[in-house]
Amino acid sequence: MNNINEALNYIYSFMGKKNSKNLHKNNFNHINTVKEILNILKYKQTFKTIHITGTKGKGSTTLVLSNMLKSAGYKTASFVSPHIINVRERIAINNEWISEKDFVDITKKIKNILEEKEIYNITVFEIFTVIGLYYFYIQNVDYACVEVGIGGKLDCTNIVDSFISVITSISYDHTEILGNTIEEITEQKAGIIKENSIVVSAWQEKESINIIEKIAKEKNSKLYIFKKDFNADIISNTNKILKFNYIENNKSYKFETTLLGEHQSENISLAFKSFKLLMNNMNNNEKLFYNAIDSIKNFNINARLTFVQRNPDIIIDGAHNSKSLWRVLKTVYEWYDYLIILFAPLSEKDIKGMSDILKDINAFIIVSSPNTNKNNDNKENDSCKTYQYFNGKENTIHIEDFNEAVKYMQKLSKEKNIPALVIGSLYSASDYFSLNI
């Protein structure tokens, strides 16, 4: 193993070697495997951890909070998934990705342990989690903002002893793993709450709030809820800047950011509330608060209403369930009356729910699917499954090959001078960026 490509080939050789449905739903093997390897590596959690779960916005919240802590002078790590451009972006310190050398060196250590202990039943995500946490340990970080992979309770990131648990907006996703009801899904998400800790939650449906409140009380943890204990008041939501006031206890802080979309005011507010709690006992914390606000003024995250072209505008977003799709479209249709939409979800997602939303909007729709699944036996059916939900709707076409769909979208957008949106999956967003166009 001499370079990162060889390291990744080794890691991806474990693809599909566990039944994730049974793993996440029925037992703690996901956590125990990671714990065993980290113990052999003599890992210790020497840093404060903020653990972030939810269905929508957890990646944005993780990266915003990490950037705020960096602005306060702390050596701050972030662990997110999936990656959009480069696998190393999953594991970063002070916004700098893990180096190829460190990635390879840690992967070698893991490989030696797996072979020596004859551990074969491990997932790719478990390996990434070990790399991330061990890297943060040997780099002696102050804080780590760790995004959950799926769910929370049985996710392998739940090995961390978190000081704050953040729960972003919860809706239906990964139902085959987490359960078919919002109550089951919330039980899994709220499973990251630790004893005598702090919980910061988005505003949720009543069923979810009740469960989060119950678990927080059982764990003797203090709970803060968006729209109840703190709030955001939108000032302006354009396709260039988002302005809003963060409000808490009759005090207001004004945010201006290039992280676009009304929904980001909630994610940023969750991050800022968490930051304030972490800085609560610091001297001159008001100055730290304003530094944190300034830190995201020109802050961007790939595949979150990312403009890759202007005039005509082309936007990339990774929304991949019906609620997040609706929130993105609500914002985008404040900017434009008509769009070309390249809709490229994975077939195992809520394609019916997302398709039902898209059928009712004013747009020309191109249905496709990400290249990411091209080696999957079901890939040939992905976009076909999606297209059938449109039932011959006017102004809708099917282009199975994602690259060809992108070319057609760009051509039509340029010829007609119509803005375009690529949406449906973080994988299709990643595929778009990899085209270098």
Side-chain angles (χ1 to χ4, degrees):
M1 192 183 297
N2 299 311
N3 56 56
I4 194 163
N5 289 330
E6 290 180 6
L8 288 172
N9 286 339
Y10 172 73
I11 292 169
Y12 287 130
S13 72
F14 291 93
M15 189 77 79
K17 289 198 175 182
K18 279 192 179 181
N19 184 330
S20 62
K21 184 174 179 180
N22 291 334
L23 173 71
H24 281 271
K25 212 164 186 183
N26 298 327
N27 59 62
F28 286 91
N29 287 350
H30 214 32
I31 297 169
N32 292 338
T33 304
V34 168
K35 188 180 292 186
E36 180 182 358
I37 297 167
L38 286 172
N39 284 341
I40 295 168
L41 287 168
K42 294 182 169 43
Y43 160 86
K44 291 181 180 63
Q45 186 181 309
T46 53
F47 44 86
K48 277 189 175 179
T49 299
I50 304 89
H51 204 190
I52 300 98
T53 190
T55 308
K56 303 179 298 298
K58 63 183 190 293
S60 295
T61 304
T62 301
L63 293 171
V64 168
L65 178 55
S66 173
N67 204 55
M68 287 179 172
L69 287 164
K70 174 179 175 286
S71 76
Y74 293 101
K75 189 173 184 180
T76 306
S78 59
F79 180 81
V80 295
S81 61
H83 60 275
I84 303 299
I85 294 174
N86 188 301
V87 69
R88 293 186 293 120
E89 75 195 57
R90 292 171 177 252
I91 301 162
I93 297 174
N94 286 350
N95 299 334
E96 295 289 331
W97 301 346
I98 184 173
S99 70
E100 291 191 4
K101 181 182 185 305
D102 285 326
F103 190 96
V104 172
D105 287 347
I106 298 172
T107 303
K108 283 181 182 177
K109 291 178 186 289
I110 294 169
K111 181 175 184 288
N112 291 338
I113 291 169
L114 296 181
E115 291 175 351
E116 183 180 329
K117 296 295 181 180
E118 297 184 344
I119 300 172
Y120 306 113
N121 200 20
I122 189 169
T123 67
V124 169
F125 187 71
E126 287 169 9
I127 295 174
F128 283 139
T129 302
V130 173
I131 295 172
L133 292 177
Y134 183 68
Y135 179 63
F136 302 157
Y137 163 62
I138 62 175
Q139 291 293 322
N140 197 29
V141 301
D142 300 310
Y143 287 97
C145 301
V146 177
E147 179 190 359
V148 164
I150 295 176
K153 182 178 181 179
L154 302 178
D155 189 78
C156 63
T157 62
N158 207 22
I159 188 176
V160 300
D161 182 14
S162 53
F163 182 73
I164 296 179
S165 301
V166 181
I167 305 175
T168 66
S169 181
I170 295 173
S171 60
Y172 293 93
D173 199 13
H174 300 294
T175 52
E176 75 286 0
I177 296 170
L178 303 177
N180 294 311
T181 68
I182 203 71
E183 290 87 353
E184 288 177 299
I185 293 168
T186 304
E187 285 276 357
Q188 290 293 323
K189 304 283 186 187
I192 69 168
I193 298 172
K194 304 299 189 295
E195 296 278 353
N196 303 311
S197 64
I198 296 170
V199 186
V200 178
S201 175
W203 181 252
Q204 314 283 0
E205 294 180 23
K206 184 179 178 182
E207 295 84 356
S208 292
I209 283 291
N210 288 344
I211 291 168
I212 293 168
E213 287 178 336
K214 171 178 165 287
I215 294 175
K217 186 175 180 180
E218 289 171 353
K219 299 283 188 180
N220 194 35
S221 294
K222 177 66 176 172
L223 172 62
Y224 299 91
I225 302 171
F226 182 68
K227 289 189 179 178
K228 180 182 175 185
D229 301 300
F230 58 103
N231 207 347
D233 183 28
I234 303 295
I235 301 169
S236 175
N237 176 28
T238 74
N239 66 359
K240 290 187 172 64
I241 195 162
L242 170 68
K243 298 180 184 179
F244 69 93
N245 285 323
Y246 171 97
I247 303 165
E248 184 181 2
N249 297 330
N250 298 318
K251 185 168 178 61
S252 178
Y253 296 89
K254 185 178 179 181
F255 279 82
E256 293 186 12
T257 179
T258 50
L259 198 55
L260 302 176
E262 187 174 322
H263 54 284
Q264 291 291 7
S265 66
E266 178 177 85
N267 299 328
I268 293 166
S269 294
L270 294 174
F272 189 57
K273 175 60 180 174
S274 302
F275 177 79
K276 288 182 71 196
L277 289 164
L278 291 166
M279 299 296 108
N280 198 32
N281 296 319
M282 298 296 295
N283 293 327
N284 201 18
N285 56 11
E286 280 292 310
K287 182 180 179 182
L288 296 177
F289 296 163
Y290 286 107
N291 286 346
I293 291 167
D294 286 343
S295 76
I296 62 162
K297 192 168 187 177
N298 296 298
F299 190 65
N300 296 288
I301 304 173
N302 281 326
R304 275 72 168 185
L305 285 177
T306 302
F307 280 73
V308 293
Q309 179 182 302
R310 295 278 186 175
N311 299 319
D313 297 344
I314 296 179
I315 309 166
I316 314 298
D317 194 272
H320 53 273
N321 60 63
S322 54
K323 196 168 180 181
S324 56
L325 176 69
W326 180 84
R327 290 173 83 171
V328 168
L329 292 174
K330 180 177 179 288
T331 284
V332 173
Y333 274 92
E334 290 179 14
W335 305 337
Y336 314 107
D337 296 322
Y338 188 81
L339 287 169
I340 299 165
I341 295 179
L342 171 50
F343 180 47
L346 296 172
S347 62
E348 62 263 28
K349 294 296 184 180
D350 178 24
I351 53 175
K352 182 183 184 303
M354 291 190 286
S355 299
D356 285 345
I357 292 169
L358 289 170
K359 283 190 290 188
D360 293 331
I361 66 168
N362 191 26
F364 182 88
I365 298 170
I366 304 164
V367 175
S368 189
S369 59
N371 287 330
T372 308
N373 259 14
K374 64 185 174 184
N375 295 321
N376 188 311
D377 292 339
N378 297 320
K379 162 68 170 108
E380 62 184 11
N381 298 317
D382 264 18
S383 59
C384 297
K385 286 179 183 176
T386 304
Y387 187 60
Q388 71 184 2
Y389 286 106
F390 288 86
N391 287 325
K393 171 181 158 42
E394 288 186 10
N395 297 324
T396 303
I397 62 170
H398 176 211
I399 302 177
E400 185 175 328
D401 183 85
F402 182 77
N403 294 3
E404 292 302 315
V406 168
K407 288 177 185 176
Y408 185 79
M409 177 201 74
Q410 291 174 325
K411 179 174 178 288
L412 194 62
S413 175
K414 184 177 181 181
E415 288 177 354
K416 304 289 186 181
N417 195 30
I418 298 171
L421 171 67
V422 179
I423 203 161
S425 170
L426 284 167
Y427 294 97
S428 53
S430 176
D431 288 341
Y432 187 96
F433 285 113
S434 71
L435 293 174
N436 295 316
I437 49 179

